[in-house]
Amino acid sequence: MAAYGSQAPRARIFSGVKPTGHLTLGNYLGAVRRWVEVDQHQADALFCVVDLHAMTVSYEPARLRRLSRQAAQLLLAAGLDPALCTVYVQSHVDEHARLSYLLECTAADGEMRRMIQYKEKAARERAKGGSVRLSLLTYPVLMAADILAFDTDEVPVGDDQAQHVELARDLAQRFNQRYGRVFTVPRVTRPSVAARVMNLQDPASKMGKSDDAPEARAGIVHLLDEPDAVRRKVMRAVTDSGAEVTYDREAQPGVANLLEILAACTGRKPAELAGEYTSYGQLKRDTAEAVVETLRPVRERHAELSADPAYVEGVLARGAERARGMARPRVDAAYDAAGLLPAFGAVSPSGGS
Ligand code: AMP
Ligand code: TRP
């Protein structure tokens, strides 16, 4: 098992996955596997299917509902254990949206417009001839609310989310300075390998869930892909000119990506593996098999869970209940600190005071 993050006892951890498409090998190696192997054991951890975030670009309602259920099933199939951590769906817990508004009153529009992911996604939406939803701009504020509502110490994410976690830190500090200390200032933790798994057809781009271009789709391995589809995609991966297998992200990005995937699946080091290969073909074959074996138990368990929707719904209902109870006092404290008049005598929905 790889060593990750801080070892502080029972830190609070929060992370999430967006149901915008089928989960990929990038999600698994860059995030979910560490949640399963490390985070849920050493921390008080919450893992959330962040469905509200999936509405920031155009989407189809029935598909969103299906993908949200599937993402929850996959998190459980990958090994998140409801006895150890809290798994739930964001829209089931009102505190996220409730806190997001206060943080919109804390953030500045300029800092939102500087977010790399916003710039990229907004450009893509415009290129498709569509308008950009306001929620795409404010998305990192909602993400900050996800994190800050739970007194989170650590946020384990892949590289692409580091800037958003940095913003959550800034907003926590700014709010605390203005209104008194309410929020814990979180920090990002990243995996030591596979923090950024690249598209097999385009090693300059991240392997993302929802890439519409057919060439890009051929470079995305989904967690539920059949073994033969996985093999085909890996065997057709773009490699680099040059005959040697070296681990060099700049000079040989395609080969480096395969080495990182193989390393992440086998618990070895990419540079060390590079020395063991003399041909791209053998590297691809071994990588394909390692990925197939890594995903096999996840696919099998996912099939069992899809046959038992009541179990999954029960886990999500209990998870939401627990998450609500955890977030409510912190969000109430933020409302109070910001000068909003308490609803004296109101009975909270969770039955508390
Ligand atoms: P998302 O798919 O954007 O909801 O991401 C869920 C988690 O997976 C986040 O922690 C991301 O940083 C991580 N992630 C997504 N794609 C990749 C990738 N290609 N490589 C590594 N981590 C990834
Ligand atoms: N924005 C994250 C992503 O695209 C998902 C996410 C939403 C998240 N809220 C979060 C991750 C809070 C960590 C913590 O991957």
Side-chain angles (χ1 to χ4, degrees):
M1 207 193 291
Y4 296 106
S6 122
Q7 309 301 318
R10 303 316 285 173
R12 174 67 57 78
I13 285 186
F14 185 99
S15 200
V17 64
K18 253 187 343 272
T20 42
H22 301 284
L23 264 65
T24 71
L25 184 65
N27 294 130
Y28 184 71
L29 297 180
V32 177
R33 196 178 57 160
R34 177 176 35 145
W35 304 349
V36 169
E37 291 181 358
V38 182
D39 297 332
Q40 67 172 346
H41 298 286
Q42 64 173 216
D44 178 8
L46 295 107
F47 300 105
C48 185
V49 177
V50 288
D51 52 354
L52 300 176
H53 287 273
M55 302 167 70
T56 53
V57 292
S58 62
Y59 69 94
E60 201 215 308
R63 182 163 187 265
L64 173 60
R65 197 169 290 132
R66 240 181 3 256
L67 288 173
S68 297
R69 186 186 286 277
Q70 189 193 65
Q73 282 166 186
L74 275 168
L75 293 183
L76 299 173
L80 288 184
D81 177 352
L84 297 176
C85 66
T86 303
V87 180
Y88 73 103
V89 175
Q90 186 186 30
S91 63
H92 295 175
V93 177
D94 293 343
E95 306 309 317
H96 293 264
R98 202 171 149 242
L99 179 56
S100 187
Y101 181 71
L102 283 199
L103 297 178
E104 280 187 26
C105 298
T106 308
D109 72 324
E111 65 192 338
M112 293 298 108
R113 290 183 205 283
R114 281 199 295 277
M115 293 287 129
I116 296 165
Q117 205 167 67
Y118 169 70
K119 288 198 270 192
E120 286 175 1
K121 287 195 179 171
R124 229 179 289 155
E125 292 295 297
R126 289 198 184 96
K128 282 195 262 178
S131 60
V132 176
R133 295 185 181 195
L134 182 58
S135 54
L136 189 67
L137 181 64
T138 56
Y139 168 122
V141 176
L142 178 59
M143 176 163 164
D146 302 340
I147 296 167
L148 300 184
F150 293 95
D151 291 333
T152 303
D153 300 297
E154 289 180 22
V155 187
V157 283
D159 268 359
D160 61 323
Q161 296 301 318
Q163 194 187 28
H164 294 160
V165 180
E166 203 50 50
L167 177 85
R169 288 174 62 86
D170 291 346
L171 296 183
Q173 279 161 343
R174 198 175 304 156
F175 190 98
N176 288 348
Q177 266 158 16
R178 272 187 203 160
Y179 304 116
R181 212 193 116 66
V182 171
F183 296 121
T184 300
V185 180
R187 64 182 173 277
V188 70
T189 56
R190 296 190 236 176
S192 46
V193 275
R196 195 170 172 80
V197 176
M198 308 310 270
N199 186 296
L200 297 172
Q201 288 298 316
D202 174 12
S205 311
K206 178 184 94 157
M207 184 186 286
K209 283 189 223 91
S210 38
D211 218 315
D212 307 327
E215 325 79 71
R217 277 210 298 273
I220 302 172
V221 174
H222 294 285
L223 298 191
L224 294 177
D225 279 349
E226 299 284 336
D228 278 346
V230 173
R231 290 189 185 99
R232 205 166 46 242
K233 288 175 183 175
V234 176
M235 292 310 292
R236 289 190 192 153
V238 168
T239 41
D240 314 280
S241 54
E244 279 180 44
V245 177
T246 54
Y247 179 55
D248 183 340
R249 269 205 167 270
E250 298 285 303
Q252 294 202 313
V255 171
N257 192 34
L258 291 173
L259 285 166
E260 289 207 8
I261 292 171
L262 179 60
C265 291
T266 56
R268 308 228 2 233
K269 297 235 169 357
E272 180 187 295
L273 286 165
E276 295 171 17
Y277 288 92
T278 50
S279 83
Y280 294 163
Q282 193 58 42
L283 172 63
K284 286 181 177 177
R285 272 191 291 279
D286 287 359
T287 305
E289 290 317 310
V291 173
V292 166
E293 287 316 312
T294 299
L295 299 187
R296 187 186 304 283
V298 180
R299 277 180 69 236
E300 287 172 359
R301 179 87 182 110
H302 179 268
E304 287 166 21
L305 289 168
S306 341
D308 192 359
Y311 169 77
V312 177
E313 284 160 17
V315 167
L316 295 178
R318 284 189 296 279
E321 181 71 35
R322 214 189 292 166
R324 245 178 252 128
M326 287 157 106
R328 178 102 197 181
R330 183 60 46 209
V331 179
D332 281 350
Y335 267 61
D336 191 30
L340 296 165
L341 185 66
F344 298 106
V347 178
S348 88
S350 56
S353 56

